[in-house]
């Protein structure tokens, strides 16, 4: 009886939770493995019982889109199962994210490395947009990095289908530093261009190694943007003064990108400038970005496997693969193979803990705005 | 640093196959007519056998006079509740997307479950509520249940997980009404396009056929674009043919004939008397394990409790052992103790 419940129990048995690696507002993340193969996985356990309206919208969105999207540059959802009142998403395990890589001061980025990360980001995003899906929360820490260097777009908790013309969408999306000016002005009809702005900010951050437009409040975010790019004129961005939450935050002169990005090539700055055009309709699309001369000019993008790695990644990669597989303890006790692997694991855990507190801080920041 | 030649921007292989073909709907929710029939028959047989068993273990011989529902009767009952979803959606003024998705969920649910376990009345409420969320038109549960007579929050929420599981958490649905919209936009550009008012009438008629098609199995068999074209063809065969030719899709015109036949044949509302009779039978043959408070229900609950208790004990024992043995790996065990063990 209850074939559905039986199938669920069978699915659940395929995966083992090993260790808690992080906790967010609505989910707990565990590192785990596939019982049969020992393959590393991550399990995102979403607490459902606490919501009076049942399954939470973020969970619904994440599951809905990840079930449909299969692409090398989008995180893979391997399975979904439920346990009591929790929803468990089994995701491919990814070592680190772009934010950690950017913050690792020991790493040096070559222009070819940045080009490689940008190409992978645009590929993943182009696939989302081709499927009419807006991500609405792109930022370095949602761009995860696999052990082979592949970049994968993750966290679809704010994603949605592009609305039909004439239907409103909420403007309370995208983490502030990566939020485009039309959303800050309360625009309720927007497009895939909102994600492109975020990618532009990430592009700049890869070159600067610090966030490009770190506003302290929504109002300050607009000021920060205009200070960097000049206050838009009505000619540059027709109609923006009529947007619902439009406010004048002062006149700032336009300074050439070249002044800040002194080492960047002409192609680089051209693509960057097209991602952060004020008028959303003129912003470059993900598809056109992939055809931009930047990606065809020397230096060619670094092969993902040769991209800069954090210490934790390098240590993890230096372990022979069979050591990981062979030492798996099917009884589910303490993670085996601790001998050699302990230092990197500790490091990784410390990093994720650190990362976690930062996430929460930023999230609170975001809702308070 | 090794360099690669410029890879042509990767819009490559995936671009060649249509997006629909990578959808979960295409991969997991399309069946042939025969497959559908076989699936429903097998599900019905297995369910009847299991429920009969439950009856017998409670009191031997008690299942002999019970009229269990057959697959057709189950199907008719579900069909009635498809109509109820439409009525509810009219009441709430939900968008077409919500209605169509709720109906799809209900149909998919009963490809994995029997009405003898789960009565479609509550499943219908849950499927529709879930659809409001998955299509991005969420409303609070409170205002949802407040507008449906004799319904409380638990009627909707208790089954939400089961419904989501039955759908294999595959929430995205491709609908024929969207495809019709696309075709309609195309038609306005054709040289043969009739004046706008007439075109609007044709669209509205085709939309009616799409709504009728939701009472049938066509969405489980054919892609949404073909259903849309079939409905357009039912409304105005010439226009449908013009459009298909403009797309060099003449072959589609043959394919849609069987869709048209199915919609015309199966798109009727089931007779209330027949369904009432089925529902009367269902009261007797429903799975006693699912009837709250029944003997079988209590027995099943007790079994589950016992299993859970065992599991908890085992877990506690493991923790105790680990603590006693001392802790060779330091922090790792601390991390383990932190695992919240609510599952």
């Amino acid at each position: 009886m209850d074939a559905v419940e039986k199938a669920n129990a069978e699915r659940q048995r395929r995966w083992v939770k090993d260790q808690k690696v992080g906790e967010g507002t609505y989910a707990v993340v565990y590192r785990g493995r596939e019982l049969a193969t020992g393959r590393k996985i991550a399990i995102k356990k979403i607490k459902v019982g606490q919501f009076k309206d049942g399954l939470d919208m973020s969970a619904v969105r994440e599951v809905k889109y990840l079930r449909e999207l299969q692409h090398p540059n989008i995180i893979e959802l391997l399975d979904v199962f439920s346990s009591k009142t929790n929803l468990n998403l089994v995701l491919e395990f990814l070592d680190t994210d772009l934010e950690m890589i950017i913050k690792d001061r020991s790493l040096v980025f070559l222009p070819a490395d940045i080009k490689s990360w940008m190409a992978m980001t645009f590929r993943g995003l182009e696939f989302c947009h081709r499927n009419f899906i807006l991500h609405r929360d792109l930022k370095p820490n949602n761009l995860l990095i696999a052990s082979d260097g592949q970049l994968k777009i993750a966290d679809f908790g704010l994603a949605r289908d592009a609305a039909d013309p004439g239907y409103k969408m909420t403007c309370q999306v995208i983490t502030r530093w990566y939020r485009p000016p039309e959303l800050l002005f309360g625009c309720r009809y927007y497009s895939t261009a909102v994600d492109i702005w975020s990618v532009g900010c990430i592009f700049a951050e890869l070159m600067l190694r610090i966030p490009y437009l770190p506003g302290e409040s929504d109002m300050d975010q607009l000021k920060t943007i205009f200070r960097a790019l000049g206050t838009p004129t009505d000619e540059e961005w027709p109609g923006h003064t009529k947007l619902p939450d439009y406010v004048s935050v002062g006149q700032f002169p336009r300074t050439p990108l070249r002044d800040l990005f002194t080492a960047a090539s002409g192609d680089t700055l051209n693509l960057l400038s097209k991602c952060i055009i004020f008028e959303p309709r003129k912003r470059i699309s993900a598809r056109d970005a992939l055809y931009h001369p930047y990606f065809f000019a020397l230096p060619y993008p670094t092969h993902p496997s040769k991209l800069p790695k954090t210490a934790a990644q390098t240590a993890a990669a230096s372990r022979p693969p069979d050591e990981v597989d062979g030492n798996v303890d099917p009884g589910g006790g303490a993670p085996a193979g601790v001998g050699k692997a302990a230092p990197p694991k500790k490091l990784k855990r410390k990093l994720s803990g650190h990362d976690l507190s930062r996430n929460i801080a930023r999230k609170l920041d975001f809702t308070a705005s | 640093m090794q360099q690669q030649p410029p890879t042509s921007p990767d819009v490559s292989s995936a671009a060649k196959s249509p997006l629909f073909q990578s959808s979960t709907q295409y991969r997991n929710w399309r069946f042939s007519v025969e497959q559908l029939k076989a699936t429903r028959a097998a599900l019905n047989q297995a369910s009847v056998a299991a429920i009969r068993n439950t009856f017998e273990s409670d009191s031997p011989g008690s299942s002999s006079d019970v009229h269990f529902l057959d697959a057709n009767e189950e199907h008719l009952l579900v069909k009635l509740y498809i109509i109820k979803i439409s009525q509810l959606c009219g009441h709430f003024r939900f968008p077409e997307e919500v209605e169509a998705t709720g109906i799809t969920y209900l149909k998919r649910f009963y490809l994995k479950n029997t009405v003898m376990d789960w009565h479609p009345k509550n499943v219908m409420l849950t499927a529709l509520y879930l659809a409001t969320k998955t299509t991005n038109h969420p409303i609070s549960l409170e205002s949802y249940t407040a507008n449906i007579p004799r319904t409380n929050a638990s009627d909707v929420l208790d089954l939400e997980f089961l419904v989501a599981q039955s759908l294999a958490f595959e929430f995205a649905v491709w609908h024929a009404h969207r495809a019709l919209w696309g075709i309609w936009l195309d038609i306005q550009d054709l040289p043969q396009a009739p004046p706008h008012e007439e075109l609007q009438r044709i669209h509205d008629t085709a939309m009616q056929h799409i709504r009728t098609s939701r009472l049938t199995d066509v969405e489980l068999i054919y892609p949404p674009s073909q259903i849309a074209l079939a409905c357009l063809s039912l409304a105005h065969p010439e226009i449908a043919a013009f459009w298909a030719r403009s797309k060099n899709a003449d072959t589609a015109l043959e394919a849609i004939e069987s869709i048209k036949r199915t919609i015309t044949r199966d798109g009727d509302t089931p007779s209330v008397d027949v369904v009432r009779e089925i529902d009367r039978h269902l009261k007797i043959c429903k799975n006693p394990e699912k009837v709250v408070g029944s003997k079988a229900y209590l027995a099943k609950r007790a079994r589950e409790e016992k299993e859970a208790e065992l599991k908890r004990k085992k877990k506690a024992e493991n923790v105790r052992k680990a603590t006693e043995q001392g802790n060779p790996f330091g922090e790792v065990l601390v991390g383990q103790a932190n695992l919240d063990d609510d599952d």
Side-chain angles (χ1 to χ4, degrees):
Chain A
M1 202 75 276
D2 286 328
V4 172
E5 279 169 24
K6 248 179 222 161
N8 180 63
E10 262 161 43
R11 282 182 155 170
Q12 184 169 0
R13 273 195 291 277
R14 279 182 61 196
W15 313 103
V16 183
K17 277 179 199 161
D18 280 333
Q19 191 176 0
K20 190 162 161 179
V21 291
E23 181 154 8
T25 37
Y26 86 117
V28 183
V29 181
Y30 298 89
R31 199 185 53 197
R33 63 200 142 84
E34 185 174 18
L35 189 58
T37 63
R39 169 189 185 184
K40 271 164 104 183
I41 48 137
I43 296 182
K44 189 167 175 177
K45 189 176 87 177
I46 299 170
K47 307 161 195 165
V48 175
Q50 57 179 335
F51 301 105
K52 67 175 176 48
D53 291 340
L55 275 177
D56 159 71
M57 279 297 285
S58 316
V60 164
R61 286 177 162 142
E62 180 137 41
V63 173
K64 175 179 174 186
Y65 294 117
L66 288 183
R67 271 289 194 206
E68 302 298 316
L69 295 173
Q70 286 165 335
H71 187 278
N73 298 116
I74 295 175
I75 189 166
E76 189 186 355
L77 178 64
L78 300 163
D79 204 352
V80 185
F81 64 87
S82 47
S83 52
K84 279 191 194 160
T85 58
N86 295 314
L87 185 60
N88 294 268
L89 312 189
V90 183
L91 297 155
E92 61 179 317
F93 184 86
L94 298 164
D95 295 303
T96 184
D97 62 58
L98 204 55
E99 180 177 341
M100 287 209 246
I101 292 186
I102 290 171
K103 298 213 158 158
D104 188 333
R105 308 308 304 186
S106 68
L107 302 177
V108 177
F109 298 173
L110 298 176
D113 302 336
I114 295 175
K115 193 173 286 189
S116 181
W117 284 315
M118 289 308 292
M120 294 188 281
T121 306
F122 274 125
R123 280 178 190 147
L125 188 60
E126 189 276 330
F127 190 69
C128 295
H129 288 176
R130 187 159 16 118
N131 283 279
F132 309 103
I133 295 165
L134 312 181
H135 184 281
R136 306 199 301 179
D137 198 17
L138 290 176
K139 54 183 172 181
N141 112 325
N142 281 340
L143 301 177
L144 306 188
I145 308 291
S147 52
D148 63 356
Q150 281 289 341
L151 177 148
K152 317 232 171 197
I153 299 179
D155 199 344
F156 282 72
L158 281 173
R160 64 160 291 162
D161 293 297
D164 283 337
Y167 286 86
K168 285 185 177 177
M169 295 180 274
T170 172
C171 55
Q172 294 298 318
V173 288
I174 307 186
T175 304
R176 188 193 302 124
W177 298 348
Y178 305 90
R179 200 183 305 161
E182 66 268 28
L183 294 184
L184 293 161
F185 281 147
C187 187
R188 308 291 302 276
Y189 307 96
Y190 52 84
S191 69
T192 51
V194 295
D195 287 333
I196 300 294
W197 179 278
S198 309
V199 175
C201 296
I202 296 165
F203 193 5
E205 189 167 336
L206 281 168
M207 290 188 267
L208 299 169
R209 304 293 293 269
I210 48 162
Y212 177 40
L213 302 167
E216 283 164 12
S217 63
D218 285 5
M219 192 65 73
D220 186 55
Q221 186 63 36
L222 280 166
K223 257 188 218 168
T224 310
I225 293 172
F226 298 158
R227 217 178 281 129
L229 300 168
T231 308
T233 62
D234 214 44
E235 205 164 59
E236 276 178 281
W237 186 5
H240 74 279
T241 54
K242 301 205 173 54
L243 289 171
D245 302 340
Y246 173 78
V247 277
S248 173
V249 290
Q251 292 298 313
F252 298 95
R254 173 178 272 285
T255 44
L257 288 176
R258 164 72 59 218
D259 290 1
L260 184 58
F261 302 93
T262 46
S265 73
D267 285 329
T268 310
L269 290 189
N270 185 283
L271 177 57
L272 174 61
S273 68
K274 285 182 165 162
C275 295
I276 49 176
I277 292 174
F278 285 121
E279 157 72 284
R281 280 168 292 194
K282 288 193 192 142
R283 236 170 265 158
I284 197 166
S285 68
R287 190 186 161 86
D288 288 347
L290 287 169
Y291 284 101
H292 191 277
Y294 167 70
F295 289 114
F296 298 89
L298 285 167
Y300 298 144
T302 308
H303 189 274
S305 64
K306 301 281 193 289
L307 283 167
K309 283 184 168 59
T310 61
Q313 271 177 293
T314 320
S318 68
R319 253 179 299 158
D322 59 333
E323 186 186 333
V324 177
D325 291 344
N327 280 334
V328 168
D329 170 16
V338 171
K340 248 185 228 168
K345 269 184 193 157
K346 268 183 192 155
L347 185 55
K348 166 77 179 140
R349 197 160 56 235
K350 208 181 92 215
L351 280 174
S352 35
H354 169 60
D355 184 46
L356 191 71
S357 58
R358 200 166 51 216
N359 272 344
I360 290 168
R362 201 183 283 176
K363 235 174 194 146
L364 287 174
D365 214 1
F366 169 58
T367 41
S369 60
Chain B
M1 207 57 62
Q2 196 182 39
Q3 298 193 326
Q4 314 175 77
T7 48
S8 86
D10 197 283
V11 197
S12 64
S13 57
K16 282 171 195 129
S17 70
L19 287 178
F20 177 60
Q21 290 187 12
S22 61
S23 68
T24 49
Q25 179 166 343
Y26 181 88
R27 286 182 284 136
N28 304 332
W29 297 100
R30 283 180 327 133
F31 308 87
S32 67
V33 178
E34 296 73 29
Q35 276 173 330
L36 269 185
K37 210 172 163 188
T39 304
R40 286 180 177 138
L43 178 64
N44 177 266
Q45 274 170 20
S47 309
V48 169
I51 298 171
R52 196 183 287 281
N53 197 19
T54 311
F55 273 112
E56 292 295 322
S57 64
D58 188 37
S59 91
S62 63
S63 76
S64 54
D65 330 325
V66 177
H67 168 107
F68 288 97
L69 300 191
D70 65 26
N72 281 332
E73 289 169 322
E74 289 202 46
H75 187 53
L76 265 183
L77 191 62
V78 173
K79 198 166 163 185
L80 183 79
Y81 282 90
I82 293 176
I83 296 167
K84 302 236 167 179
I85 286 188
S86 296
Q87 288 167 351
L88 265 182
C89 287
H91 177 71
F92 279 106
R93 296 171 186 272
F94 283 150
E96 201 75 37
E97 192 77 10
V98 176
E99 177 176 343
T101 305
I103 291 173
T104 305
Y105 289 175
L106 188 70
K107 286 181 191 166
R108 290 182 182 179
F109 179 87
Y110 285 110
L111 292 176
K112 309 269 171 168
N113 299 278
T114 167
V115 300
M116 291 176 277
D117 278 354
W118 310 106
H119 196 286
K121 179 181 172 287
N122 284 0
V123 174
M124 175 265 295
L125 294 176
T126 308
L128 183 57
Y129 188 65
L130 189 57
T132 63
K133 292 195 264 187
T134 59
T135 57
N136 223 336
H137 297 279
I139 68 166
S140 79
L141 187 60
E142 208 175 3
S143 54
Y144 184 67
T145 51
N147 282 290
I148 307 170
R150 293 182 303 279
T151 301
N152 55 42
S154 77
D155 289 334
V156 180
L157 285 195
D158 288 355
L159 293 180
E160 192 177 38
F161 242 52
L162 180 74
V163 172
Q165 267 172 27
S166 303
L167 301 172
F169 299 96
E170 290 164 354
F171 296 137
V173 184
W174 295 56
H175 292 299
H177 72 268
R178 300 287 300 174
L180 179 67
W181 179 253
I183 295 175
W184 189 64
L185 292 177
D186 276 351
I187 289 174
Q188 298 174 33
D189 276 346
L190 291 182
Q192 303 92 336
H196 186 74
E197 295 76 37
E198 199 192 333
L199 207 53
Q200 184 65 49
R201 267 197 304 278
I202 296 169
H203 173 265
D204 294 347
T205 314
M207 230 4 253
Q208 282 310 319
H209 289 296
I210 291 212
R211 296 202 177 101
T212 308
S213 81
R214 291 189 192 134
L215 292 174
T216 73
D217 282 337
V218 292
E219 67 172 301
L220 299 170
I221 305 168
Y222 304 97
S225 54
Q226 289 184 12
I227 298 170
L229 186 60
C231 291
L232 181 65
S233 180
L234 284 168
H236 198 301
E238 291 80 19
I239 294 272
F242 281 140
W243 179 84
R245 276 183 209 120
S246 77
K247 293 281 175 190
N248 292 321
D250 296 48
T251 47
L253 290 170
E254 294 157 35
I256 61 173
E257 284 310 312
S258 64
I259 305 178
K260 286 163 75 176
R261 277 197 302 276
T262 311
I263 294 174
T264 319
R265 188 189 62 218
D266 299 341
D268 58 329
T269 315
S271 129
V272 176
D273 290 335
V274 174
V275 178
R276 194 173 291 149
E277 185 63 16
I278 295 172
D279 211 21
R280 205 175 57 79
H281 283 307
L282 181 56
K283 284 205 174 63
I284 300 158
C285 70
K286 69 185 164 193
N287 188 348
E289 284 186 346
K290 308 290 182 196
V291 181
V292 178
S294 77
K295 225 161 119 188
Y297 174 85
L298 294 174
K300 188 169 184 241
R301 282 290 293 275
R303 268 202 313 279
E304 283 166 357
E305 274 296 304
K306 211 169 158 189
E307 275 165 30
E309 182 61 37
L310 272 175
K311 208 175 147 192
R312 274 197 296 276
K313 269 196 186 139
K314 206 173 136 198
K315 204 158 193 170
E317 181 67 9
N318 283 341
V319 171
R320 193 185 58 78
K321 260 190 210 151
T323 326
E324 271 178 8
Q325 280 167 3
N327 175 356
F329 306 125
E331 257 188 284
V332 177
L333 273 174
V334 177
Q336 287 240 313
N338 278 341
L339 283 177
D340 41 348
D341 51 357
D342 53 352
D343 53 29

